[in-house]
Amino acid sequence: MDMKTDNWLSTAARPVGLIIRQKDPNNLEMPFDRLHEFITPSELFYIRSHFPAPNLDPLAYRLSITGAVRNELSLSYSDIRAMPSRTCVATLECAGNSRVFLAPPAPGAQWELGAVGNAEWTGVPFSALLEIAGLDDDVCDLVLEGADRGVPKEEPRPPGPISYARSIPRSLAMEPDVLLAYQMNGEDLMPDHGYPLRAIVPGNYGMSSVKWVTKIVAATQPFQGYWQTSDYAFWDDSEGIPVRRPLAEMKLKSQIARPRVYERLRPGRPYTIFGAAWAGNTDITEIWISLDGGASWVQGDFVDPISRHTWRRWKYDWTTPTQPGGYTLLARATGADGRPQPERHNPNFGSYVIDHPLPIEVFVTGS
Ligand SMILES: Nc1nc2c(c(=O)[nH]1)N[C@H]1C(S)=C(S)[C@@H](COP(=O)(O)O)O[C@H]1N2
Ligand SMILES: [Mo]
């Protein structure tokens, strides 16, 4: 056997697979220092699943649309594939991404930087299906239910198995880029990413993009399901009274991909700091880097243009210090409204929405 096959050579340009946070169900993240291309290769795209992936046969598959509609629908996979399609690029970030940076430690999967990715999604606009179904005037929420089922491990535990279900407001469901997608990066979805059909809700945290969708309910009351109120929700303030609201729009955030935590760097050498920044419905206009733990900031350059719902890769050409020792690097993005990322994590979000600048400690060696 020829040992000089290319997987023995530089791994810099090729995917290296995912990091296991939990097995069965699969919860796998991208080694974020592998960020190179604008589009995350499918094999590097994180997987976040509450229950084992259901095995859905596309020939038996049906999508039902029920509730407050004029025409209840039951569509086959081929019905959906026959409809006019739309393609969009969207960044999905799990609301728990970077949880490992919280101190004191927060319960839940200890995601580092890799529960985020940017892919090209193809499917049917959700609005096209809703137009055929004909929503009643008083519909406020569209509930999307996946075929995966189980009993959540976190308290409060429901009395029996439940399916993964989330709702989105009617106005969002009608946005042209909200898709029921069957392809990711030009190929049919992989089982872990929702085969045969999943929702893609650009601008929202990943939990809205329900995988393995089999049922859609048009609701005339705000949906109060487990993943809407108990999990994936936060404490808001209503006239001084704390209220529970569902997480929705992704917050402005940036991450350093290279160097990685505790990387050793040689002194006085050029080093390109590289990363990405994204947000829900705000354009990202500036990226600032700190090389001294936040005492001072310098501006980085974007590699990608502004594009709604996708990340912008950025870089900063640094010359590493000549003084050996530990250095803390930070990145902080600013949105079109002039607002930067917050300095600290907001405890109202619990173990979610980790959107403050994340410290990356590196060591500059003596020579
Ligand atoms: N049916 C179903 N859909 C789901 C989930 C799930 O557990 N079951 N996880 C959600 C969460 S929390 C995230 S972050 C995204 C992750 O999508 P991915 O695994 O394709 O990256 O899927 C969402 N859709
Ligand atoms: Mo998530």
Side-chain angles (χ1 to χ4, degrees), residues 266-273 291 316-322:
R266 299 176 66 200
R269 299 285 205 295
Y271 186 104
T272 300
I273 301 172
L291 308 159
Y316 176 75
D317 291 321
W318 187 31
T319 304
T320 58
T322 49

Side-chain angles (χ1 to χ4, degrees), residues 186-303:
E187 289 173 346
D188 290 355
L189 292 172
M190 296 194 283
D192 279 322
H193 291 300
Y195 181 82
L197 195 72
R198 74 172 301 169
I200 290 295
V201 183
N204 266 22
Y205 282 112
M207 80 268 133
S208 298
S209 293
V210 177
K211 303 190 277 190
W212 312 292
V213 196
T214 50
K215 187 175 175 184
I216 291 165
V217 182
T220 56
Q221 300 283 322
F223 178 58
Q224 305 283 356
Y226 181 86
W227 283 277
Q228 202 80 15
T229 52
S230 183
D231 203 357
Y232 297 119
F234 67 102
W235 289 109
D236 198 7
D237 178 283
S238 170
E239 313 275 334
I241 301 170
V243 289
R244 214 61 188 143
R245 291 204 205 285
L247 289 174
E249 195 184 330
M250 288 192 291
K251 304 279 186 199
L252 176 67
K253 180 163 173 178
S254 58
Q255 286 187 172
I256 296 172
R258 291 185 294 280
R260 54 188 303 174
V261 172
Y262 273 42
E263 193 167 319
R264 289 161 63 86
L265 307 172
R266 299 176 66 200
R269 299 285 205 295
Y271 186 104
T272 300
I273 301 172
F274 193 72
W278 58 91
N281 295 312
T282 319
D283 291 336
I284 300 131
T285 51
E286 289 171 18
I287 181 75
W288 294 84
I289 319 300
S290 176
L291 308 159
D292 53 14
S296 64
W297 297 83
V298 289
Q299 205 164 356
D301 297 313
F302 287 106
V303 177

Side-chain angles (χ1 to χ4, degrees), residues 45-51 92 94 146 148 164 192-193 198 206-207 209-212 232:
F45 202 96
Y46 78 97
I47 294 165
R48 202 283 176 256
S49 297
H50 288 271
F51 307 124
L92 293 192
C94 181
D148 50 333
Y164 185 88
D192 279 322
H193 291 300
R198 74 172 301 169
M207 80 268 133
S209 293
V210 177
K211 303 190 277 190
W212 312 292
Y232 297 119

